[in-house]
Amino acid sequence: MSPKKSKNDPLDDVVERLVGLIARVRKRQAAVTQVHGVTMLQFTAIQALRQAGDINITQLAKRLHLNQSTVSSLIDRMERDGLVRRVQSSADRRSVKLRLTDKADDIGQALPDSPLVFFRHLLDALTPEEQASLGKILVKIESRFETELSRIDSLFPLASKEREAG
């Protein structure tokens, strides 16, 4: 059982604000993408491909912070929906690049910035020193996050398999 927090615990306020910001961004993006008939993940992939140009599935997976099989399934659906095409590289016939269709490019132009760009705009309000401090803090949080995931995975092996899959 965790210790009781006082009503004025600053950590509670920080957590509530972070979770609230993320929830509001996701809710807003979901509403906008629904109007254009794409999922949030498709929207994020469209924005990443618009930014990067023709890249392969491995490169897109890295940009989206997802595993390759998840992105491969996403691209299959997007190809079926007429949003992306697989194009064989002229330099290396074994290499396949992803290219947005005109339909996806039109959707990408109509949609607002991706959450990554949106958060970047928000963080522009910080001074360079504040950005550096926040970066150091986030590294510590990420490290703790990985430690906690490892702990949970050791207690619940199924959770680690689900995490690897998605």
Side-chain angles (χ1 to χ4, degrees):
M1 187 188 248
S2 61
K4 287 225 176 202
K5 303 279 184 185
S6 71
K7 285 189 176 187
N8 297 327
D9 186 351
L11 186 56
D12 285 346
D13 186 51
V14 169
V15 170
E16 286 177 25
R17 287 177 185 276
L18 281 173
V19 170
L21 278 172
I22 292 167
R24 288 172 59 197
V25 168
R26 284 187 173 179
K27 184 176 181 180
R28 171 87 178 158
Q29 295 291 349
V32 169
T33 56
Q34 186 177 15
V35 168
H36 293 281
V38 294
T39 66
M40 188 62 198
L41 188 53
Q42 288 173 331
F43 160 71
T44 305
I46 288 170
Q47 295 299 51
L49 287 166
R50 288 185 76 226
Q51 220 174 25
D54 297 349
I55 57 175
N56 63 35
I57 287 178
T58 302
Q59 293 164 322
L60 182 60
K62 285 180 184 174
R63 284 181 170 266
L64 299 179
H65 304 283
L66 296 170
N67 67 39
Q68 195 167 334
S69 64
T70 299
V71 174
S72 185
S73 296
L74 168 68
I75 294 303
D76 288 343
R77 288 188 305 275
M78 290 179 72
E79 192 172 33
R80 184 194 66 224
D81 294 342
L83 299 171
V84 73
R85 294 182 325 199
R86 288 179 166 97
V87 179
Q88 201 170 42
S89 170
S90 57
D92 180 358
R93 295 179 55 82
R94 295 170 294 171
S95 176
V96 175
K97 301 288 185 178
L98 303 171
R99 183 171 296 160
L100 291 176
T101 63
D102 290 341
K103 176 182 176 181
D105 198 46
D106 290 345
I107 290 170
Q109 289 178 18
L111 291 171
D113 291 332
S114 71
L116 295 175
V117 173
F118 183 75
F119 274 108
R120 187 172 181 83
H121 289 305
L122 294 178
L123 295 174
D124 281 342
L126 302 178
T127 67
E129 295 80 18
E130 289 170 329
Q131 291 173 1
S133 293
L134 180 58
K136 289 177 185 175
I137 292 167
L138 289 173
V139 166
K140 286 175 102 172
I141 292 170
E142 277 182 321
S143 176
R144 182 64 178 262
F145 178 80
E146 291 302 326
T147 301
E148 287 301 307
L149 283 183
S150 294
R151 184 183 64 78
I152 292 167
D153 290 348
S154 70
L155 296 172
F156 305 99
L158 180 59
S160 64
K161 290 178 183 170
E162 289 175 353
R163 187 163 51 100
E164 289 171 9

